[in-house]
Structures are given as C-alpha cells and as structure tokens.
Amino acid sequence: MKSLKKKRRIQILAAAAVALVLAVALIGYGFRDGINLYRSPSQLAEFHPDPDEVFRLGGLVEQGTLKRGDGHVITFAVTDGGATVPVRFEGVLPDLFAENAGMIATGSMQNGTFVASEILAKHDENYMPKEVADSLKEQGVYQPPNS
C-alpha cells in the first residue's frame, strides 16, 4: 500500500514539474516581442545592438537637428550629453515634441540611424521620463525642472 502512495506522489510531482516548465516556456514565448529595453545614446555608443533588435532610445532632442522631410518623414538627433544618435521617424509627432525636450522612441538601429516606430514626448514642462533623467544625470547634463 505504501508503495502505491509513493508512486502516486512521484507521478503528481513529475506532472507538476512538467506543467511548471511548460507554463514558464509559454510565458517566455509570449513576452519575447513585448519586452523593450531602454538604452541611452551613450550606451549605444558602447554597445551596438543587432539590426533586428527592438528597444527604446531616450534623451534630449538636440537643438538645431529637427528636420522635416518629404511627407511625414522627420529626422533629428537624440543626445544625453555624452553621445548623439541620429533618428528617423515616419509619422506624426506628438504635439509637445520639441528641441531640447525629453523623449523616448521605440524602434531599431538600421545603418547607424535609429528608425523609430513610436515616439513619446513629455506631457508638460516639468515632466521627464525617469530613464531619460537618470541617463542625463550620469552624463552631468541634467537640469531639474524650473531651473
């Protein structure tokens, strides 16, 4: 009788372990395209991502680099004070997007240019995304709001 209970316990533990491994694999598979890592321009200068890797780039829009091309193509440069990355975006920019303002873009690197699929801009004059503020502080360029 004890042998049957022991066998049943081992079977239940084995089934639970298989279910756990399957659940972790399914969760990982579901998140594979949904996780976008944040990188600053200085981090991109040190580490070059794969061309098909989608990530977030944040910093300040560099003064004098915002250019509107044909149609909805916009080019500009993003800086954190330590490095600058050229950005190309095709679409409509947020209303509060401006030079010397914080922004975060989602996209990938193609031939040395960050091609953005989505751009997020600050929502008022006092807000700056935490990631952007942290990378600007690292470079010593951060200026607190109302300074």
Side-chain angles (χ1 to χ4, degrees):
M1 191 67 145
K2 284 194 174 215
S3 173
L4 187 59
K5 282 185 179 181
K6 188 174 183 180
K7 214 184 240 187
R8 179 56 93 191
R9 242 185 261 153
I10 291 174
Q11 289 173 343
I12 290 173
L13 287 174
V18 168
L20 181 64
V21 168
L22 183 62
V24 168
L26 287 174
I27 289 170
Y29 180 77
F31 277 137
R32 77 187 185 290
D33 291 332
I35 297 174
N36 295 324
L37 300 176
Y38 171 82
R39 296 206 172 99
S40 67
S42 294
Q43 290 171 331
L44 282 181
E46 293 173 14
F47 170 76
H48 301 289
D50 296 330
D52 58 343
E53 180 184 353
V54 176
F55 61 94
R56 288 183 170 189
L57 171 69
L60 297 176
V61 179
E62 192 170 39
Q63 183 73 34
T65 62
L66 184 60
K67 294 182 180 37
R68 298 179 189 276
D70 295 334
H72 292 289
V73 177
I74 296 109
T75 60
F76 56 93
V78 174
T79 185
D80 62 357
T84 302
V85 175
V87 178
R88 188 176 81 236
F89 176 67
E90 188 170 338
V92 179
L93 289 172
D95 291 338
L96 296 173
F97 184 86
E99 292 180 343
N100 285 332
M103 56 77 62
I104 292 183
T106 303
S108 60
M109 291 298 287
Q110 295 177 5
N111 299 324
T113 300
F114 184 79
V115 178
S117 58
E118 176 185 30
I119 292 184
L120 304 172
K122 63 181 187 166
H123 72 282
D124 70 14
E125 65 277 357
N126 296 321
Y127 174 75
M128 183 171 296
K130 180 185 180 319
E131 295 91 349
V132 173
D134 289 345
S135 59
L136 292 175
K137 285 177 186 174
E138 284 179 21
Q139 296 299 321
V141 207
Y142 179 73
Q143 295 178 351
N146 300 328
S147 61

